Amino acid sequence: MCLAIPGQIVAIDSQNTHLATVDVVGVRRKVDLGLLQDELPVPGDWVLIHVGFAMSKISEADAADQMETLTMLGEAAAAIEEVRGYGLENEIPDYPPQRWKQ
Amino acid sequence: MKFVDEFRAPELIAKAGEEIRKLADSDRHYRIMEVCGGHTHAIYRFGLKDLLPANVELIHGPGCPVCVLPMGRIDDGLSLAAQPEFIFAAFGDMMRVPGTHGSPLEYKARGMDVRIVYSPADALKLARNNPEKHVMFFAIGFETTAPSTALTLVRAKAEGLNNFSVFCNHVTIIPAIRAILDSPDMRLDGFVGPGHVSTVIGCRPYDWIAKAEGKPVVVSGFEPLDILQSIVMLLRQLRRGEAKVENQYTRVVPWEGNRAALRVMAEVFELRPYFEWRGLGFISQSALKIRESYGTWDAEQRFTVPGIRVTDPKAAQCGEVLKGVLKPTQCKLFGRECTPEQPVGALMVSSEGSCAAYYNYEHRKPITIANAATR
């Protein structure tokens, strides 16, 4: 939850312009750009992502540094898992809907 | 110091360590609090304490959102979600946090519809995909995650998606720092300021710590070198008898913060008169609630919340550890009744909690900087 994940903006969604596809070491998912609306990033820009929302623009070198920091912290796998999970991509309907039993 | 070689800039790390030893007055004992749980994790993982002289002590602060959430709020959230046709959505960090009758994961095993989401936007998507259900997002976090929850609520309102609500547990860091400084058993010399919270709030909100309390604050990044440099900057100020706010993490943190994020937070949230923090008790104006204009999407305004209050297990000394009065190992339950596998207190649940960090890196498997970098 508290991970700051570096990613590169690949494309802005043509229908929802507050959404953009980002690339995080090869994993591509949609993130929300609404928190950067004062200075919207464009394709090619690098951003730090928190819980599916781009929070700050950074340089490419800082993005590389941040990925290395996550690796050193042992959190790179968790970061990739988080990005993979954006958009409920991993949502597995693992049980039929059932009523809550006390 | 051979193990330093593993770092990206070993010569700079060694230099920073040397500088710290030079700056620290040997007649003085320094107590520096790192506010953020991410820093606590990094400090243990990299064994940074080994690079510090014995008289420069790091005290772990309250900046772990999972750790400061009182059990009663988890019970409240889970009891709301016990209504039929409810989906309880939360970040993975919340799933193993114990409530009185079990963690969200255990409730899931008993049949409650509990989903892990990685973004509040995905909780909203769940609501969109399940129009016959009500999706309640259990929101936690400091100012790092609060803007995302706020923007998600703006989007829910714009879409008119009424089968969605947020059970809001967002807290703010400044009142917690104030509570710690007000606590009579606390003596601190300075603060390593949180990195990502400051991306949002900027550096100005720390001004009073320097001006009114006379303690330096250095907002810091998360790499080993960042943290050591921040300690150097703090010691330099202390040596000169200064107290000001400095920003070591300029590559990410703008002095003014993220105005767009602050605007959306102000649109959606207002301050609660008071909120209970685990270990710190009730702190006034320390948490966010959803404004009436967004009441339709506020689980607390929309449903009846039981308002459960649970006292922490007596033997567990989470409060003292959270305030930095006790070290994790000084708690009677540490490593015995309370382990990351079977946590009693919340400080053991999150990897950012000081007990879990201490247990994983110092207690169970003592590691040096050498293997930290490669693990």
Side-chain angles (χ1 to χ4, degrees):
Chain A
M1 171 186 70
C2 290
L3 296 174
I5 306 169
Q8 187 176 28
I9 306 284
V10 176
I12 309 290
D13 191 297
S14 54
Q15 292 183 334
N16 289 314
T17 49
H18 67 267
L19 293 180
T21 303
V22 290
D23 184 307
V24 179
V25 288
V27 180
R28 290 187 173 198
R29 288 290 183 275
K30 290 259 166 69
V31 299
D32 197 310
L33 301 180
L35 299 174
L36 290 177
Q37 57 180 296
D38 292 352
E39 209 195 342
L40 276 175
V42 294
D45 282 352
W46 291 82
V47 291
L48 276 186
I49 306 155
H50 289 268
V51 295
F53 290 74
M55 188 65 90
S56 38
K57 283 209 249 181
I58 52 172
S59 70
E60 183 174 358
D62 289 339
D65 280 1
Q66 176 63 10
M67 205 22 115
E68 200 176 319
T69 305
L70 288 174
T71 306
M72 287 166 79
L73 282 168
E75 285 173 343
I80 303 301
E81 188 196 317
E82 177 171 327
V83 175
R84 272 189 209 287
Y86 291 159
L88 307 176
E89 297 287 336
N90 271 354
E91 197 199 0
I92 304 156
D94 52 355
Y95 52 89
Q98 50 181 286
R99 290 220 155 195
W100 159 248
K101 292 182 285 285
Q102 203 72 41
Chain B
M1 201 169 286
K2 68 177 190 324
F3 40 77
V4 172
D5 296 349
E6 304 289 332
F7 285 116
R8 189 167 53 212
E11 66 292 341
L12 291 177
I13 295 272
K15 224 168 126 188
E18 219 171 278
E19 187 71 15
I20 288 170
R21 274 186 294 279
K22 230 187 278 168
L23 284 166
D25 184 341
S26 56
D27 296 332
R28 197 172 158 184
H29 188 87
Y30 299 87
R31 288 166 59 89
I32 292 169
M33 174 172 277
E34 88 276 1
V35 175
C36 168
H39 285 144
T40 304
H41 181 200
I43 286 162
Y44 280 113
R45 173 140 191 124
F46 300 129
L48 293 186
K49 285 194 302 182
D50 302 347
L51 294 174
L52 302 178
N55 61 334
V56 177
E57 189 185 354
L58 293 174
I59 312 289
H60 316 305
C64 160
V66 168
C67 305
V68 296
L69 186 70
M71 194 183 267
R73 292 294 289 183
I74 302 163
D75 290 346
D76 274 348
L78 288 167
S79 82
L80 281 182
Q83 301 177 64
E85 313 307 333
F86 244 71
I87 295 177
F88 178 98
F91 294 137
D93 313 46
M94 269 311 301
M95 288 297 155
R96 288 177 52 247
V97 181
T100 308
H101 304 293
S103 64
L105 214 56
E106 287 164 314
Y107 274 72
K108 182 183 169 84
R110 287 182 228 141
M112 186 186 271
D113 196 344
V114 172
R115 314 279 182 104
I116 295 178
V117 290
Y118 293 93
S119 166
D122 290 336
L124 192 65
K125 190 172 175 186
L126 270 178
R128 214 177 283 133
N129 294 350
N130 296 276
E132 74 294 352
K133 296 280 187 86
H134 182 91
V135 176
M136 185 183 78
F137 177 60
F138 189 92
I140 58 166
F142 286 90
E143 288 92 334
T144 322
T145 51
S148 306
T149 303
L151 194 51
T152 300
L153 284 167
V154 169
R155 305 242 187 271
K157 189 175 185 176
E159 237 179 279
L161 208 59
N162 291 354
N163 65 324
F164 175 75
S165 66
V166 168
F167 186 72
C168 181
N169 298 289
H170 284 298
V171 284
T172 59
I173 196 68
I174 297 293
I177 297 177
R178 194 183 293 274
I180 283 167
L181 281 170
D182 285 347
S183 138
D185 42 6
M186 219 38 213
R187 191 190 66 76
L188 291 171
D189 296 290
F191 291 90
V192 173
H196 297 133
V197 161
S198 307
T199 309
V200 175
I201 67 173
C203 299
R204 280 186 199 285
Y206 307 111
D207 259 355
W208 63 275
I209 304 175
K211 291 200 176 116
E213 301 285 337
K215 319 259 184 221
V217 179
V218 176
V219 171
S220 174
F222 295 85
E223 291 186 36
L225 187 57
D226 288 330
I227 297 172
L228 292 175
Q229 265 174 359
S230 299
I231 295 170
V232 167
M233 289 161 83
L234 284 169
L235 291 173
R236 263 192 206 132
Q237 286 198 42
L238 289 167
R239 195 163 184 115
R240 294 192 199 120
E242 289 175 346
K244 54 186 182 183
V245 181
E246 290 184 285
N247 184 8
Q248 183 275 336
Y249 201 25
T250 48
R251 58 190 195 272
V252 173
V253 173
W255 192 263
E256 301 291 338
N258 179 332
R259 285 169 184 271
L262 292 171
R263 272 202 312 273
V264 70
M265 280 171 71
E267 153 82 16
V268 173
F269 297 128
E270 58 188 355
L271 285 173
R272 291 178 193 267
Y274 52 84
F275 193 72
E276 188 179 8
W277 292 55
R278 185 177 277 208
L280 298 173
F282 285 94
I283 306 179
S284 53
Q285 306 198 314
S286 65
L288 303 173
K289 71 171 180 180
I290 297 168
R291 287 185 189 275
E292 250 178 64
S293 47
Y294 285 84
T296 308
W297 297 274
D298 179 4
E300 286 178 276
Q301 290 180 55
R302 195 158 157 177
F303 309 107
T304 311
V305 181
I308 299 166
R309 290 202 56 216
V310 187
T311 41
D312 282 323
K314 268 221 175 72
Q317 291 166 296
C318 307
E320 283 77 11
V321 175
L322 201 57
K323 279 191 289 188
V325 176
L326 286 187
K327 297 215 169 293
T329 43
Q330 291 172 315
C331 171
K332 291 191 277 294
L333 302 188
F334 180 87
R336 288 183 280 272
E337 287 91 339
C338 190
T339 62
E341 288 77 26
Q342 287 287 338
V344 177
L347 293 172
M348 213 30 127
V349 178
S350 165
S351 67
E352 297 188 345
S354 49
C355 291
Y358 204 93
Y359 188 93
N360 286 329
Y361 296 119
E362 302 243 330
H363 175 74
R364 185 161 52 184
K365 325 168 199 163
I367 56 167
T368 61
I369 292 178
N371 54 32
T374 53
R375 268 156 51 125

